[in-house]
Amino acid sequence: RDSKLTFLLKNSFGGMSKCSFVANVSPSVSALEETLSTLKFAQRAKTVKNTSSVQEETIGSVQALQQELRRAKAELLRLQSEGCAAGDAL
């Protein structure tokens, strides 16, 4: 679904975070349709079961990553010394 609520909650739906819902309803007769819609959504949301997981990239060692950082910094310094603009190198 393409809705603002789905977009805001995409990490929760994917199991990347925990989420709590509060369903606000009104006792007013004029808000009956909206209240029923909210209660139906809350009932459906209550049945969703997700497991949280931690995403960690374990590719490469610390030394390899530090070496890559040094290489990138050296490349940046080289390009700056050649007079390249920030966007020209790519």
Side-chain angles (χ1 to χ4, degrees), residues 33-53:
E33 188 175 325
E34 190 172 340
T35 296
L36 287 175
S37 175
T38 300
L39 290 172
K40 287 177 184 177
F41 171 78
Q43 183 65 35
R44 287 191 314 270
K46 189 170 74 168
T47 62
V48 172
K49 299 293 180 206
N50 242 341
T51 55
S52 298
S53 62

